Amino acid sequence: MSDKPNIASLSGRKKVVSNKKMTFMEMIYLPAIIGGFGITLSHFFKKKVTLQYPEETKPRSEIYRGMHVLKRDDEGRERCTACGLCAISCPAEAITMIAAERKEEEMNLYREEKYASMYEINMLRCIFCGLCEEACPKEAIFLTDRIVSSDLHRGDFIYGKDLLVEPVDQRIDISHRQTPEVLKFKLDKNQSHNS
Amino acid sequence: MSQYNRVDPPEGYSAPGFFATTLDKVVGLARKNSIWPLPFATSCCGIEFMATMGANYDLARFGSERLSFSPRQADLLMVMGTIAKKMGPIVNQVYEQMAEPRWVLAVGACASSGGIFDTYSVLQGIDKVVPVDVYVPGCPPRPEQILDGFMKIQELVGNESLRRRYSPEYRELLEKYGIK
Amino acid sequence: MEQQLIEDSLKERFSNDIVSFDESSDILTVTVEKTVVVGLIKFLKEDLGFNFLTDLCGIHYPQQELQLGVVYHLHNFLNNTRIRVKTFTSIDKPEIDTLTEIFSAANWMERETYDFFGIIFTNHPNLIRILNVEYLDYFPMRKEYPLEDQTRTDKDDRFFGR
Amino acid sequence: MDGTYILYKFILASAILLISLLVAMYSTLLERKVAAFFQDRLGPNRAGIFGIFQPLADGLKLFFKEEFMPGDADKFLYILGPSLTMMIALLTSAVIPWGNSLVIGGAEYSLQVADVNVGVLYVFAILSIGVYGIMIGGWASNNKYALIGAVRAASQMISYELAMSMTIIAIVMMSGSLSLKDMVEQQHGMNWNVWYQPLGFLIFLVCAFAECNRSPFDLPECETELIGGYHTEYSSMKLGFYLFAEYINMFISSAMIATLFFGGYNFPFMDDLHLSHNVITIIGSLVFFVKIAFFVFFFMWVRWTLPRFRYDQLMRLGWKSLLPLAIVNMIITGLVIMIKHHL
Amino acid sequence: MEHLGKEHILVRPEDYDKNFSTLNLGPTHPATHGIFQNILTMNGETIVDAEQTIGYIHRAFEKLAERRAFYQITTLTDRMNYCSSPINNIGWQMTVEKLLGVQTSKRIDYMRIIIMELSRISDHLICNSVIGVDSGALTGFVYVFQEREKIYEIYEEICGARLTTNLGRIGGFERDFTPLVLNKIREFIANLPKVIKQFENLLLRNRIFMDRTINVGGISAERALNYGFTGPCLRAAGVDYDVRIMNPYSSYNDFDFTIPVGTNGDTYDRFCVRQEEIWQSIKLVKNALENLPEGSYHMDVPEFYLPDKQEVYSKMESLIWHFKIVMGEVEVPVGEVYHSVEGGNGELGFYLVSDGGRTPYRLHFRRPCFVYYQAFPEMVKGSFLSDAILTMSSMNVIAGELDA
């Protein structure tokens, strides 16, 4: 057996698709060219699809993976317990945090006994893959459909807790990112200590 | 961290009582609306840039659909995608070849910081080789984000004094990158 | 073609130089001495119809005596069988004959393997680095070299064992 | 020669110069808008309403951009290139009859700067110098891409000039004059040359595209192959001149097509309207500009529809198809004229 | 060989006295779409020889893969052939499933087929429209890019990202197709033929385009096989090798589709083959949508597929599993597998050696365009500069895949 491939079909479903013979009409250029003019002209009068971006916006998908949010629970306590799973699962190594022990008087600030005293995401490193959201066992970090805006300084892209934690009065709804089972589970009053 | 990132705004621009001369304003306005980008697209972000150029987002609205593949004619170097160490000197050279005034937009995580590719072969951000004016995060950024970054550049361009590009601060900045 | 048949014909031809057969894996795997690997592949191509070099790559086992390996994947289009050929060489004198005479496709694959592992393919027409910068003074895919760019400034390694 | 005459010529020449520049300027915008519309986009619309200030912005920006001279460039030629291109592009407009004459105060003022009796030859002479600007620029840049672009431009120009002249000869045979004014006068009303010379028109059109270096014959610049072709190394206003000259050339070519084949400022039923001579002249001029505008649009339409030729295919088309066709066209015209003459 | 000035500009002394000139095509030439360099030796406009330099965006994927946990590698495969990243993602996930011995259900298979065929469409759309751009017809590109934008929207609805999707998980998908997704796909598939038809009318039988592409950059089947061609480039040469049929994965054998081939492997053949493959993909997506079975969107892969969130929140065992998976302390079989899928450019292979650890011991990607791009000098020798550019764009060299 030599280099020569089997000219017969390997798959039994072969179909030659390129036809290189030109008919006379194709030889004289004009019919195809005029046909092309027709196509472009039909688009000339079509409604334009352009989105005038800064003024008009297109709604992003509800599950769009944009800027992160650190959630608070219903009582306004931060959910994050600084377990570090998000940092480990991050392929870009963009997340850093420092864990701290919750003090007595901070009961209304943090949900768990351990919390992140410093939580930073380097938004320039981040690739918005969503693995941190998946890794979080505490419903603390979610990606949202907000986008991170561009900036002039590289240093300004390290987002700390001031930017990541959702404000108490402006909650961000992330329920559409969760499965129906989780949503059902969260309604269960008996399990409320967990969710 | 940010000291080597960006050309600082012209002295006194933000100071109270400053106002640009009419010529400055007019030229700024003209430049702002006629930024011809040099798309330095190496990877994924380049495809999103195509989407930005495409019908749905249409960068042309800002007067920038004339891509200048020749650096001489370009005003804005848009670096999109990973820049490996092998590529670094070339980015520098392309920047050097551009005629003043010139701006640099780093699009996407890789160009801005190396992104996910913290490896021996990838440059950790193009600000190691050229001065960057605006960074656009995202991997790759949405066309909206690229447009956002572009408008930031426009803002910068419109507010810049005519002469700034010949100022000693600017020269000093370029010298840091070994650009004469 | 039956695996057994291939195995038999290989055994018959290269009995002394075959280190092992491994049928447990997804593809029939043959490990051979590096001296015969080119001959074996030639035999596979010309007599057994493995007309397509799917892949060629290096591998590094620091704990073995023969640390560096090259793995070839061949494909017989007609019978739709694949075979994996492995060969190992010492790290001090990592030399293996080139496959470019038999498969043109091997050219860049071997250059890549050289670039990553420093395996020298003797008689290769143009064995220079392909992906990395030419002045790189080590072979980055060997296990002992670090992955990271050492100049990264925006990472804090104190956290979580990184 | 009295003062009024000089003043009138001066005004006319400046007006035409200004109009050419203005039209060319706004052609750049039109091109971008048309391209956008063909592609379902909106095109420039941030600089003023509909992007009306876009050309001004581009011009001003180019004007204030850094002058740049490649280190190894031939300094004199490098500057000469774009200047020549620009100058020559503007020269052609002198012989085109932009309208009939206006009668003011008993004196008749023609709307043509110079009714040269060899107008056609003048146009061709000027057009063929035009390529020197490109060649010189491409050579002086000392850049391989620019050089390839320049070489392509030169050979393209030579090949298509021939076929173009051959078609013109047919027209000249019909009109019996080399003056453009006479040619237009003969196409009075709907008596346009295009009805008698459809093949000639087609050949002329194709050649016009090639002469203007417009797609599908834009090989000298050819963005995806040669980056910028002959103007790769140019920046600031010198680049502006090159780009501008292209649009002026397009404008002039459209004017030539309209003049030679579509009756110039003539329009149908112009004699049936019973309007005064001056009004007819003004309408005629406007009609002429409409015709020009259509062809400018057509130039753009083609550019945004067709792929470009390859260098050798372009040559083949020029020498092996268009030139023989033009000769055949010429012979047939000659025969028909002869037969008519003897009947 | 001697270097003058910057290291990437090569001047060969032996060429000084010949009448050849060298032209440096790339790395930032507009036609290289991504970054690689060709130094062409030219005789006038004819190419005498070409020398390629690649590696300008070498990102060390393979080394990186040795330091990343299995589930993180989808983020790498995303960025390899970024025109059709879901194929890469799913190919990688199937490789791991093969290592684990997981058999996926029909529903997952069909969902995968839908996504992979959509990405094949988007890959071919971009490649063919870029051939149009490089031949000077920009408009067709803008038309088909609107369709690509719709594919992006579908991706966004499925996984939340447009281009680098990180789509799918080992053992299935991260979430189910919502009715909205299915609607969007149906709408897209219904509208696409019209646009493709229009695009074809613009180029396919236009003599200018045919002249530009026919007998340009051709390669014989024999040489193509020797060079390791796969995918549309091999099929254009007349060999109907397609992984989807030769080694059917993901239930591709449930579907009937033809393999388009060309005659002599030139640019026109490649264009036609890709164009026909788009039609076949449309058919496949339609069929898979119609026959999409009910069921779960993921398999039970305790080693990799994260437990349901409500269980993690409430049950200790699940929480521990969750931690183990994320930390990568799960039992992975020791062994090696080779799995390949039909990527946008051809056989995309994954050779995975596992030592049972958190990360692959060695992961080698068989990147189709890396293998076949080396034939470029042979394909363009003796042709014109313009031909070289069209050949280059019709080979669809994706720099991310080329340089790894």
Side-chain angles (χ1 to χ4, degrees), chain E residues 65 110 114 254:
Chain E
Y110 285 18
I114 292 172
D254 290 4

Side-chain angles (χ1 to χ4, degrees), chain B residues 23 26-27 29-31 33-36 53-56 58-75 96-102 151 154 162 166, chain D residues 31-33 35-36 39-47 54 56-62 64-68 70-71 78 221 223-224 227-228 231-236 239 243:
Chain B
L23 182 68
V26 170
V27 173
L29 210 60
R31 278 177 177 169
N33 283 300
S34 162
I35 296 174
W36 294 358
M53 291 295 295
N56 294 57
D58 195 15
L59 190 59
R61 292 177 294 127
F62 302 93
S64 304
E65 82 273 43
R66 193 198 179 279
L67 303 181
S68 301
F69 288 104
S70 163
R72 307 277 188 227
Q73 306 163 3
D75 307 299
E96 226 173 290
Q97 287 172 347
M98 286 168 70
E100 290 284 2
R102 52 194 166 182
M151 286 188 292
Q154 278 194 320
L162 256 186
Y166 303 98
Chain D
E31 166 103 67
R32 292 163 83 164
K33 276 298 210 190
Q39 300 174 348
D40 302 338
R41 300 187 282 125
L42 284 173
N45 64 358
R46 301 273 143 167
Q54 190 63 49
L56 292 178
D58 282 332
L60 210 57
K61 180 206 78 177
L62 283 175
F64 279 95
K65 203 151 168 68
E66 185 193 34
E67 283 289 321
F68 180 85
Y78 185 78
E221 31 194 337
E223 208 165 63
T224 46
I227 302 170
H231 61 61
T232 304
E233 291 283 348
Y234 281 91
S235 72
S236 82
L239 169 72
L243 300 180

